Structure formats: C-alpha cells, structure tokens
Amino acid sequence: LQAERGCTGYGIEYNDDNVLACVRRDVNVLQLNLEDGLAIFEDNSFDMVLQIDTLPHLRNAEVMLRETARIGRQGIVAFPNFAHWPNRLSVLLGRMPVTRRLPYQWYDTPNIRVGTFKDFEVLALKNQLRIIDAFGLQNGAVQRLAPNALASTAVFHFEHA
C-alpha cells in the first residue's frame, strides 16, 4: 500500500521477528498485542483500518471489531469464510476442512474461531456498522454471487451506521 498507493500508516505486529522484517522493508510498525486493544489511538485516528486475517486469531473478535470502527472512519475486514462449499462438504463427511485458506488441522490451527460471510453481516448489524461493500474472493477473483457458499474469503468494507 505504501509503494503502490502512497498510503501512510502503521502495521501492528506482536512477534519480534515479524517486527524486524517490517522495519527492514521500511514498513511503519508498532509492536502491540491486539488482545490488549487499541487504546493508544484516539477515535477516528485513521481514514481506513484494515483487519486482514486478524479476527479469527483473537479471543475477543467483537471487541477488536468495535476498536477497528472506533479508530478508523472506515474499516476493511477479511477472513477465511468457513461456509465455503468445500468446507461444508468436508464437515458433512465428518472432518474439519483443510484448504489453502484454512491450511491447518483442527488440533494445530492458530485460529481461535471460524466465521462465515453471513455471521459477519449479523455481527456488523449488532455493532451498528453499516456495510458499504461486501464480496467474496475465490482464487483471487471477486465473487459477488452467493459469496457465503462460493468464496473462500469474506471481505467487508464498513463504517459506523
């Protein structure tokens, strides 16, 4: 985003090695544990806040979603869509899915939780967020037709209602 779009901002990372990798690539990074929240930022500190593949790894994803909406005028959230049809088929056949987007076995996944496209719509409404745009991604292509079933990644662009 910095190189291609001229964006400024901060990445947030907890792991020492990943922080060092960001610094080496001239990415502005703050070393924080997202589980502790984003209290260091004031309301509407940013035009846009991205939470890409973050929420499934957090104990309280709803609190982080509210924090994302609080510190940013708008937000974008993306996460693996557990309702994608191959995942459904895998569960129907009695196994947890292992896919490119969900590459771990049930016992060693870093994901604390899984969600679906439809689940996020309900969560956004509950937290008084207005969805500006929503779509799925499948193999790098935008999937607007039935994204809950046909997309491996859910993407939402939102703001306060």
Side-chain angles (χ1 to χ4, degrees), residues 59-79:
R59 294 199 188 289
N60 199 333
E62 184 175 10
V63 169
M64 184 50 57
L65 178 62
R66 285 195 302 263
E67 281 288 275
T68 299
R70 179 186 67 78
I71 69 168
R73 290 176 184 85
Q74 295 184 356
I76 294 178
V77 169
F79 56 90

Side-chain angles (χ1 to χ4, degrees), residues 101-115:
R101 282 296 283 136
L102 296 165
Y104 299 95
Q105 296 291 333
W106 67 271
Y107 53 84
D108 68 354
T109 180
N111 293 333
I112 295 173
R113 60 189 33 82
V114 293

Side-chain angles (χ1 to χ4, degrees), residues 144-157:
R144 291 192 181 275
L145 177 65
N148 198 48
L150 300 178
S152 61
T153 300
V155 181
F156 292 86
H157 178 194

Side-chain angles (χ1 to χ4, degrees), residues 50-94:
L50 307 176
Q51 289 283 356
I52 309 301
D53 290 343
T54 305
L55 296 181
H57 303 282
L58 300 175
R59 294 199 188 289
N60 199 333
E62 184 175 10
V63 169
M64 184 50 57
L65 178 62
R66 285 195 302 263
E67 281 288 275
T68 299
R70 179 186 67 78
I71 69 168
R73 290 176 184 85
Q74 295 184 356
I76 294 178
V77 169
F79 56 90
N81 175 29
F82 199 72
H84 188 216
W85 74 265
N87 299 340
R88 294 178 190 208
L89 180 59
S90 185
V91 171
L92 183 65
L93 295 173

